[in-house]
Amino acid sequence: MRIAFIGLGHMGAPMALNLVKAGHDVVGFDLVEAATVAAREAGVAAVDSAVEAVGDAEVVITMLPAGRHVIDAYGSADAPGLLAAAPPGTLFIDSSTIAVDDARAAHELARAAGHRALDAPVSGGVVGAEAGTLAFMVGGSDDDFAVAEPILAAMGRRIVHCGGAGLGQAAKVCNNLILGITMIGVSEAFVLGEHLGLPNQALFDVASNASGQCWALTTNCPVPGPVPTSPANRDYRPGFAAALMAKDLGLAAEAIASTGVDAEIGLLANAIYQRFADGGGAATDFSGIITEIRATSGQGAWT
Ligand code: NAD
């Protein structure tokens, strides 16, 4: 298919390249010239204007930093953008991680301009983008999903249709709410164990085979040793950077506020990760939160 790929950053460039490898006719664009040039060198035909990229497209995929970038790039009557430049009936797939409300607004804008739209955020990070093993969570109509699924399959391994407009973003935000909360819980448990004299390996051996079992423990274990591939074994090099966890929990907090859900622990997890990211932890893996919990735990009542 003729696909325009807008946003050739850490995620977008390797995703676009996987579409090229799958035989699609891909034209890329990024606002930053260096990203356009790098994508071109990697094998993606990249052009110097968004209008040129989408002019002949059947599908437009956006992979941009935040909701405002997506809404701005789609354009408005005052400042025409991608929607005005694309042929009528183009399928717009936004794979950026953005607020559910922004995703729904993007769907509305696309529909009003005579196009079709899906939100299709991903998990799996840069490693998954490069390997073509991303997980896609998709919101939109059955018909549009049917068109998108084989395209997304060139970039990912698991593609789940979650429901209507915005529900891909909803699934992403809810999953990462679980992940943020469980990582803090696992980290607090390890630090409490340390203060009680319990070896990390012993807690791991018990909890990983008991009701404490979860991904944060058994795959991304925040202490070095029990899971040799976890970021804790390489000084918390990401992995999944704490800045991205803070971003995603911020989106969860927005959704919590707009729905009025009583999600006390989720809001607390958001505050904890924002503080960690702002205090210098942004570029470390999100499991590095354990270092802050240790640092602020003092000597404890056990001394
Ligand atoms: P990035 O900052 O590396 O890339 C974004 C690119 O978009 C940049 O190159 C920027 O120049 C470009 N851009 C911004 N506005 C534009 C516009 N109007 N037109 C064209 N290009 C524009 O970010 P990334 O790490 O690739 O992440 C992209 C999205 O994917 C984010 O929403 C992020 O939350 C999400 N995500 C990232 C990861 C990850 O591990 N990096 C994992 C899952 C999801």
Side-chain angles (χ1 to χ4, degrees):
M1 292 191 89
R2 290 190 306 279
I3 301 173
F5 206 108
I6 310 298
L8 301 167
H10 292 99
M11 297 291 287
M15 290 167 73
L17 193 57
N18 280 329
L19 290 171
V20 173
K21 287 180 186 159
H24 293 291
D25 181 1
V26 182
V27 182
F29 170 72
D30 195 290
L31 271 185
V32 173
E33 199 191 334
T36 305
V37 170
R40 213 178 271 145
E41 280 168 4
V44 178
V47 294
D48 296 323
S49 99
V51 170
E52 191 183 341
V54 304
D56 198 24
E58 296 167 282
V59 172
V60 175
I61 301 176
T62 41
M63 195 55 172
L64 305 175
R68 68 193 150 82
H69 301 99
V70 176
I71 303 284
D72 286 355
Y74 275 22
S76 61
D78 296 339
L82 302 174
L83 297 176
T90 298
L91 177 59
F92 277 76
I93 303 174
D94 178 41
S95 282
S96 327
T97 302
I98 68 176
V100 175
D101 289 346
D102 285 341
R104 290 185 170 145
H107 273 258
E108 274 310 307
L109 287 171
R111 263 200 297 270
H115 299 303
R116 298 172 292 151
L118 293 170
D119 50 296
V122 302
S123 70
V126 175
V127 172
E130 287 170 349
T133 56
L134 293 170
F136 283 89
M137 297 144 266
V138 187
S141 75
D142 291 346
D143 287 351
D144 292 341
F145 178 75
V147 174
E149 194 175 17
I151 298 169
L152 301 181
M155 301 179 283
R157 206 161 39 190
R158 267 180 62 75
I159 300 150
V160 180
H161 188 198
C162 301
L167 293 183
Q169 297 291 351
K172 164 109 185 164
V173 121
C174 291
N175 179 69
N176 281 3
L177 187 65
I178 298 172
L179 183 58
I181 291 170
T182 52
M183 182 53 81
I184 293 169
V186 167
S187 299
E188 288 183 354
F190 272 116
V191 176
L192 180 60
E194 289 166 4
H195 279 235
L196 295 170
L198 176 64
N200 289 333
Q201 186 67 49
L203 175 56
F204 179 86
D205 290 344
V206 170
S208 63
N209 290 295
S211 45
Q213 193 279 330
C214 59
W215 191 92
L217 176 71
T218 56
T219 300
N220 218 73
C221 190
V223 296
V227 181
T229 49
S230 80
N233 298 280
R234 44 173 204 265
D235 208 16
Y236 298 98
R237 235 180 328 108
F240 184 48
L244 288 173
M245 176 53 87
K247 173 193 169 179
D248 291 358
L249 289 176
L251 295 176
E254 272 186 52
I256 289 166
S258 76
T259 55
V261 167
D262 182 13
E264 274 183 73
I265 308 274
L267 293 178
L268 200 51
N270 176 40
I272 289 170
Y273 269 108
Q274 302 295 341
R275 192 179 61 216
F276 180 57
D278 292 346
T284 61
D285 187 76
F286 78 114
S287 60
I289 194 71
I290 194 169
T291 58
E292 176 167 293
I293 295 169
R294 264 199 208 102
T296 53
S297 289
Q299 294 305 299
W302 54 279
T303 51

